[in-house]
Amino acid sequence: MTELSGWGRYPRHPSDVLSPPSPSAVPPLMTSHTGLVARGNGRAYGDAAIGEQVTLVTRRLDRIRAFDPSTGRIRVEAGLLLADLLDVMVPKGFFPPVVPGTKFVTVGGMIASDVHGKNHHRDGGFGDHVESLTLASPDGGIATCSSTENGDLFRATIGGMGLTGTILEATFRMRPVETGWMRQQTIVATDLDKALDALRASGEATYSVAWIDCLAKGRSLGRSLIFAAEHATRRDLEALQPAADAFPSARSGRLSVPLDLPAFALNRLSVGAFNEMYFRAGAMKAGYPFLVHWNPYFFPLDGIGDWNRIYGRRGFLQYQCVIPTAQAGPALSRILERIAQRGLASFLAVLKQMGPSQGDLSFPMEGFTLALDLPVSDAAFPLLDELDRTVVEAGGRLYLAKDARQSPATFEAGYSGLPRFRDLRRAIGATGRISSRLSARLGI
Amino acid sequence: MNAPRTLLLVGGTSDIGRATALCYAQAGWRVLLAARRDDEARRNADDIAARTGADVAVLHLDILETSGFEALVDGLPQLPDTVVCVVGELGDQQRGQKDLAHATQILRTNFEGPALLLGVFAERFAARGSGTLVGVSSVAGDRGRGSNYLYGAAKAGFTAFLSGLRNRLAPAGLRVVTVKPGFVRTQMTAGMKLPPVLTAEAEEVGRAIFTAAEKGSSDVVYVRPVWRPVMMIIGSIPERIFKRLRL
Ligand SMILES: Cc1cc2nc3c(=O)[nH]c(=O)nc-3n(C[C@H](O)[C@H](O)[C@H](O)COP(=O)(O)OP(=O)(O)OC[C@H]3O[C@@H](n4cnc5c(N)ncnc54)[C@H](O)[C@@H]3O)c2cc1C
Ligand SMILES: NC(=O)c1ccc[n+]([C@@H]2O[C@H](COP(=O)([O-])OP(=O)(O)OC[C@H]3O[C@@H](n4cnc5c(N)ncnc54)[C@H](OP(=O)(O)O)[C@@H]3O)[C@@H](O)[C@H]2O)c1
């Protein structure tokens, strides 16, 4: 038995851990154990990647099986790290179709959470780019799934949090890029409405994200910096930074944090100071396009190492909700107001625009998603329960990959695909056998 | 541009083998992965090809089927420029003490098979007048210990074989490299508690092998240099004391 937790280090549960050396070793494990779930790199925040009894770590399934540079089509094993994929592919002029905010995730984890990037409004989630996958199913077999073959199982597996079986391999297409640079433009929004407008208006941009200053109150509530970006072309590079290498190494792209993290992360005053500084530094760059390396643009936190430890032993919670477009303004301002009032400092507060998704349990829906961190404390739980009510009333839902504490009622209210998902689980013999701490907690 | 050189990596399913072959492929070599489990070797071959664009093929080879070695070598489409043998098996010392079949397997997998195979290549390389042979042995062969002397004795035999071969072939300008990786985090040592300073990653061993064989001139490589003094100290303990240590 090993004690496991997610990236938030809350909750922790004991589990047996298996680490099969190859895809062919997985199917027998699906029938010889019960209460098991797959785990990629453990970047889900809460209890999604902890088996009720057994956790099947996929990290040794890390081979690229085929790559066709003429189409960008790639077939990989599910335990391949996104960081590894980027290292290999960016110098060849290819970028993954969708990336989340950290590159230390596996391809299997990206499919199982149907992860969204800063381009969800335009390109959908990672799952939308998966052409086909193979799944070690609960009966010990291997199912090939795509939109045309085993379509129901495919739609349940995308965003299905490992609860339909273990993904072994996936095929998807990389997008060609001319350089490893991003052409970024910063937009300043002085309040929430302006931020939402700016995100809508920047819908033309491939990537956009708003960084909200959670501590701003009153008329400044929701003041944000919006970072819109495109993959820079050769011409962009010539115009903006003619001497630069088209594919600079990832290591040159570290973010230097000009403050001592542990100190500012923990109290309200210092987070306020950081936010103020960040906001001003961003505002100074506003208006002008400039080039930034893909690594800090997409993965600013990865440069900081084990930043999840700065919240101390009790760990932390990430709260990520999505609110349908029509309700987004009022619901998000209610949420931001409560957070600001309570002063439960958040290091990260990110706002993005989303489009629809296809998986039964996929998180994205047309609307806006807000994500923020809070240290675990006795005060945090009732506050989040209260925010949940706002989310549910607005017709929104919470992201399972981030969740460690929502109630079954909140979950059921948000996910209309749940009955279909449960039926499918029953039909393939997954119910009660493929189960994580998350699925047990939420009765999936 | 010159035609790419060819590596034959024997033990194509091993973690150290995978890392080594990747280094060669990144440097523009063609790679042939020999292994007894074709499907698993294919995974590594595909991976290396996708990452590097190199030409990577798989060859079926069981290191215990020594009688087929000459036919196998002569059947190769072309004689490789370098052969690296990483095949090995730690085995179960305690089981081998009672089970002669298991003991035989440990001895043959770590010594007889690799030595005979490299011996066949040595003949072909000598006839051609060029080629590099690399054998992955172990510090376990530097001194026999109660906890793994079957493995250690076989590796000691392999080390002596490589040393003799080097001695014989050096005048003809052929290189023979002995690699002693120390502890390496691989499937062989999965689940063992290993001291971090003494433990290398497979990638480190792969780079060390490539560098030693193709760039440097070392004959005996300790992947992490600390192993050299460590083994010197272990080697210098008088037998009357050594025999009482629980090692
Ligand atoms: C700093 C940070 C930023 C993030 N930013 C974003 C973001 O912008 N957008 C976003 O969508 N997410 C984001 N995430 C969440 C993260 O992308 C997801 O949690 C992702 O699933 C983690 O991948 P993993 O390989 O670590 O999977 P794990 O955390 O190990 O597992 C996550 C889920 O996937 C399942 N799973 C893993 N591998 C398999 C498999 N082979 N077969 C079946 N099921 C499997 C597990 O059972 C579990 O339910 C972020 C996380 C962090 C820590
Ligand atoms: N890991 C360490 O700490 C360490 C330390 C010192 C030395 N070494 C040596 O390094 C080498 C590589 O080991 P590793 O750590 O990479 O472990 P490994 O992955 O277990 O590699 C051993 C390899 O030998 C192959 N093999 C065993 N019997 C065979 C047979 N009859 N025919 C063909 N191939 C056979 C295995 O093939 P299968 O995959 O089919 O089993 C596997 O590819 C070994 O010689 C080992 O002794 C390792």
Side-chain angles (χ1 to χ4, degrees):
Chain A
M1 287 268 181
T2 309
E3 196 181 65
L4 292 179
S5 66
W7 183 245
R9 303 170 80 215
Y10 172 89
R12 301 162 192 236
H13 291 292
S15 167
D16 283 324
V17 174
L18 302 174
S19 188
S22 80
S24 63
V26 176
L29 301 175
M30 302 302 289
T31 50
S32 59
H33 294 85
T34 58
L36 94 164
V37 84
R39 180 180 179 95
N41 206 35
R43 251 41 177 200
Y45 279 72
D47 49 6
I50 308 172
E52 255 202 298
Q53 289 165 42
V54 181
T55 305
L56 198 157
V57 175
T58 62
R59 284 295 310 286
R60 293 171 74 186
L61 317 188
D62 66 351
R63 307 316 195 262
I64 302 173
R65 294 306 306 266
F67 174 64
D68 179 355
S70 69
T71 58
R73 183 174 285 117
I74 190 166
R75 178 160 67 93
V76 305
E77 293 178 357
L80 181 75
L81 274 189
L82 176 60
D84 190 7
L85 184 69
L86 286 159
D87 273 353
V88 175
M89 288 296 153
V90 178
K92 294 186 199 291
F94 288 94
F95 206 81
V98 169
V99 299
T102 172
K103 62 182 173 176
F104 299 116
V105 295
T106 63
V107 169
M110 292 204 290
I111 298 171
S113 298
D114 191 8
V115 298
H116 54 272
K118 299 171 173 57
N119 56 343
H120 196 274
H121 57 289
R122 271 185 55 146
D123 299 327
F126 191 81
D128 292 312
H129 298 267
V130 176
E131 294 182 351
S132 70
L133 56 85
T134 56
L135 183 75
S137 43
D139 62 3
I142 294 181
T144 301
C145 310
S146 67
S147 56
T148 52
E149 186 177 3
N150 294 313
D152 290 345
L153 187 54
F154 186 63
R155 278 179 293 276
T157 300
I158 287 173
M161 303 308 288
L163 299 171
T164 59
T166 302
I167 301 162
L168 301 178
E169 288 189 353
T171 302
F172 53 92
R173 281 221 221 171
M174 304 286 288
R175 75 164 72 220
V177 291
E178 291 182 26
T179 75
W181 295 95
M182 307 302 297
R183 192 190 64 217
Q184 181 179 320
Q185 200 145 5
T186 308
I187 302 155
V188 180
T190 49
D191 64 26
L192 181 65
D193 282 338
K194 295 205 178 66
L196 295 174
D197 285 346
L199 279 177
R200 277 195 207 97
S202 69
E204 290 295 295
T206 306
Y207 300 101
S208 61
V209 58
W211 194 92
I212 296 193
D213 176 359
C214 265
L215 300 180
K217 290 189 197 175
R219 282 177 45 213
S220 305
L221 186 81
R223 74 170 178 174
S224 313
L225 295 176
I226 289 116
F227 304 119
E230 303 293 336
H231 290 284
T233 60
R234 293 254 173 199
R235 285 181 61 183
D236 293 334
L237 191 62
E238 268 157 38
L240 294 166
Q241 220 163 302
D245 185 356
F247 292 104
S249 98
R251 277 161 265 302
S252 61
R254 294 225 161 196
L255 174 84
S256 54
V257 175
L259 284 172
D260 186 23
L261 273 170
F264 87 70
L266 288 173
N267 77 65
R268 183 178 163 68
L269 260 182
S270 54
V271 174
F274 177 76
N275 283 11
E276 191 64 42
M277 190 196 71
Y278 194 98
F279 193 77
R280 290 199 179 171
M284 260 159 51
K285 289 188 171 174
Y288 305 98
F290 61 99
L291 292 184
V292 42
H293 188 287
W294 59 266
N295 198 36
Y297 179 75
F298 288 105
F299 314 113
L301 290 168
D302 286 349
I304 312 177
D306 290 340
W307 63 264
N308 58 336
R309 296 181 172 267
I310 63 184
Y311 289 101
R313 268 200 55 74
R314 288 188 76 183
F316 69 109
L317 302 164
Q318 175 150 110
Y319 191 75
Q320 182 167 8
C321 61
V322 56
I323 310 283
T325 312
Q327 311 298 323
L332 292 174
S333 58
R334 277 269 289 287
I335 291 171
L336 287 173
E337 252 161 44
R338 289 297 291 144
I339 298 272
Q341 267 170 17
R342 294 294 298 269
L344 294 173
S346 177
F347 170 48
L348 243 192
V350 172
L351 181 67
K352 287 181 240 181
Q353 195 180 4
M354 295 192 134
S357 59
Q358 60 162 328
D360 292 340
L361 293 190
S362 285
F363 167 64
M365 61 164 78
E366 247 178 306
F368 289 88
T369 178
L370 178 75
L372 46 92
D373 292 349
L374 309 117
V376 169
S377 69
D378 297 337
F381 293 95
L383 172 68
L384 295 183
D385 289 342
E386 186 194 322
L387 302 187
D388 286 357
R389 286 192 285 279
T390 304
V391 172
V392 168
E393 275 163 28
R397 58 193 178 208
L398 302 184
Y399 191 7
L400 293 175
K402 306 287 177 81
D403 180 46
R405 36 73 43 202
Q406 75 176 300
S407 69
T410 301
F411 170 60
E412 289 188 19
Y415 285 84
S416 59
L418 181 61
R420 194 166 54 235
F421 189 78
R422 282 189 175 132
D423 286 347
L424 183 125
R425 291 238 307 149
R426 219 168 287 123
I428 63 170
T431 312
R433 299 203 47 249
I434 310 292
S435 53
S436 59
R437 291 289 179 163
L438 175 130
S439 73
R441 175 166 60 81
L442 297 178
I444 302 180
Chain B
M1 229 178 86
N2 297 335
R5 288 183 287 171
T6 305
L7 165 75
L8 172 66
L9 188 293
V10 186
T13 56
S14 94
D15 293 331
I16 291 174
R18 176 192 182 194
T20 306
L22 182 62
C23 285
Y24 275 85
Q26 279 164 344
W29 287 56
R30 295 171 53 174
V31 174
L32 188 55
L33 295 180
R36 60 177 165 178
R37 294 185 300 147
D38 301 8
D39 288 351
E40 293 303 314
R42 232 325 85 241
R43 285 176 69 215
N44 286 343
D46 289 350
D47 183 65
I48 293 166
R51 284 169 193 267
T52 62
D55 180 359
V56 188
V58 166
L59 174 74
H60 184 81
L61 182 146
D62 189 322
I63 208 73
L64 300 176
E65 288 172 11
T66 53
S67 60
F69 284 175
E70 290 187 295
L72 186 127
V73 171
D74 291 331
L76 291 174
Q78 93 195 81
L79 194 60
D81 297 279
T82 294
V83 177
V84 176
C85 179
V86 306
V87 167
E89 184 187 353
L90 194 51
D92 179 340
Q93 169 67 28
Q94 290 185 5
R95 185 177 150 207
Q97 286 158 206
K98 302 200 173 64
D99 175 349
L100 291 197
H102 186 61
T104 304
Q105 182 176 315
I106 296 174
L107 295 173
R108 294 191 66 216
T109 305
N110 291 293
F111 175 43
E112 187 188 306
L116 293 178
L117 183 65
L118 292 188
V120 173
F121 278 107
E123 293 314 299
R124 305 297 185 275
F125 284 2
R128 184 176 65 184
S130 71
T132 298
L133 294 166
V134 182
V136 174
S137 189
S138 173
V139 295
D142 289 8
R143 192 160 192 181
R145 294 184 289 130
S147 59
N148 69 355
Y149 62 86
L150 284 166
Y151 174 77
K155 288 293 193 188
F158 191 40
T159 300
F161 175 88
L162 293 167
S163 155
L165 197 60
R166 176 161 48 240
N167 185 234
R168 176 192 143 206
L169 295 177
L174 304 193
R175 290 198 59 217
V176 177
V177 182
T178 308
V179 179
K180 299 181 183 179
F183 297 131
V184 191
R185 229 181 305 281
T186 67
Q187 43 200 338
M188 183 176 275
T189 52
M192 296 184 189
K193 276 218 163 65
L194 301 173
V197 231
L198 295 177
T199 306
E201 300 298 327
E203 291 69 29
E204 224 174 307
V205 183
R207 274 195 304 275
I209 291 176
F210 178 73
T211 306
E214 311 306 335
K215 302 207 161 137
S217 56
S218 328
D219 300 310
V220 179
V221 180
Y222 287 82
V223 172
R224 293 224 162 169
V226 295
W227 276 99
R228 215 177 267 278
V230 167
M231 291 320 293
M232 262 186 28
I233 293 164
I234 291 179
S236 66
I237 300 172
E239 195 64 23
R240 78 195 135 76
I241 297 172
F242 193 78
K243 72 183 179 191
R244 296 184 193 286
L245 301 177
R246 288 286 135 253
L247 290 165

